[in-house]
Every structure is written in structure tokens, then in C-alpha cells.
Amino acid sequence: MEELAPGWLTTEFLTQCLHNEDGYPNVEVTQFSVFRAAPIEENRASCPLRVKIKYKDNKTSDHLQHLSLIIKSELKEGSVKEFVDSFECCESVFYQHFLPKTVPLLETSVFAKSFFSPKFSIVALEDLKENGFVMANKYKGLDFEHCRLFMSAIATLHAVSYAVIKEDPKFIESLGKEKLYTNDSPIQCAYKLMILSGMR
């Protein structure tokens, strides 16, 4: 059987993820199991894992509770890894630095809750499957209603991004230079090919 859990994914790592969240100040993760969160053949830009956690509210408690997280780790090798590495942990910056600034501005969340990660390049998210959400098939695409919902959510995120930058103009500078939409970007050709192939 394939070993899915990376060496850094331990009960201590998961306990630290929870300790930094409201409602989990004294929890102790006792055990966990790891499953693929997406088919390996989909060639995603990360290694998404579904981690089923059992934890206690504190060390003296005998009552076990359950929580499921999606843990996204870096690819270990391959050309896709080189492509993703050029973004310099943009996704981690997005979840750990940008999204917290948007929460006070939104009446309804349009994204999964992110958890603290002791390892900056690793993204820890709530498992939306627990709330009835289903991952769409990337090859079949979305129906019109789900496309409409996506465009509404992305428009909301775009608007709140403007509000964040207006309130804190220097924040955008802290994110670094544009890494994708520039003609001199080393990954621009690969990105154009990806877009064109997706439009067929």
C-alpha cells in the first residue's frame, strides 16, 4: 500500500494547526488517517490530501472528536513542480496573509476556511466535503448554474481585494512583483499553452 503521509505530517503538526484557531486552544490530536483528495491522474499543481483527524479537547479528556482537513503540499518532482515553484508560495501568502484581511469585509464567506500551518509552504483548509460539497470533474467542467455561482464568488473576491488595497496600499507591494501576467515572465509561454489547450 502506498504511503501517502509525508514525513512532516504528524500529530504534532496537526495539533499546531488547530491550536491557532478559535475553539481549539487545548486540543490534542491523537491519531489521523490520510487519503488522496483528488485522483492522481488529474496532474494538479499540488498534492492535495484529505486528512481525517481524531482529537481530544484537552489532554485529560476521554471524548474523541473528529475533523477533516485538506492539506495541500508541494509537488516533489517534475516539470509541473518547476512551474509551480516559480510562483514562490503564492497560495500560502493568499491564505495566510490576504484572506484574513477580507473576512471583516464579507457577510458570507466565498472560500474554504484556512487553518494555521506550521510549515509556510503547506496550505491547510477545511474539508468542504463534510458540508456536502462535491469536487467537479475538471474534464467535464461546470454546468451554467455553477459557473454563475463561481463568477459571482470571484467578482466578490475581486471587489474585496480592491477594498483591502485601498485600505492598505502597501500591502500589495509586500506580495512581490507580478508573476504571471507579464510578457517577460519565464512561465508565460507555458501558461499560454495551458489556456489555449483548455479552450479547445
Side-chain angles (χ1 to χ4, degrees), residues 102-157:
T102 71
V103 172
L105 304 174
L106 292 171
E107 293 183 359
T108 304
S109 176
V110 295
F111 39 77
K113 171 182 171 58
S114 64
F115 286 74
F116 168 80
S117 173
K119 191 174 169 62
F120 185 74
S121 60
I122 305 302
V123 174
L125 304 171
E126 68 173 317
D127 186 357
L128 293 178
K129 186 177 181 180
E130 299 294 296
N131 295 324
F133 288 87
V134 178
M135 179 68 75
N137 185 303
K138 66 182 294 185
Y139 300 109
K140 293 181 179 179
L142 301 174
D143 58 24
F144 178 81
E145 179 60 17
H146 284 91
C147 285
R148 185 188 67 79
L149 290 170
F150 170 77
M151 293 306 296
S152 176
I154 208 72
T156 299
L157 191 56

Side-chain angles (χ1 to χ4, degrees), residues 5 43 50 56 59 61 79 85 122 134 159 169 175 179 198:
N43 296 319
R50 174 167 284 110
K56 300 187 296 184
K59 291 183 178 181
S61 174
S79 57
D85 285 352
I122 305 302
V134 178
L175 301 181
K179 300 177 178 64

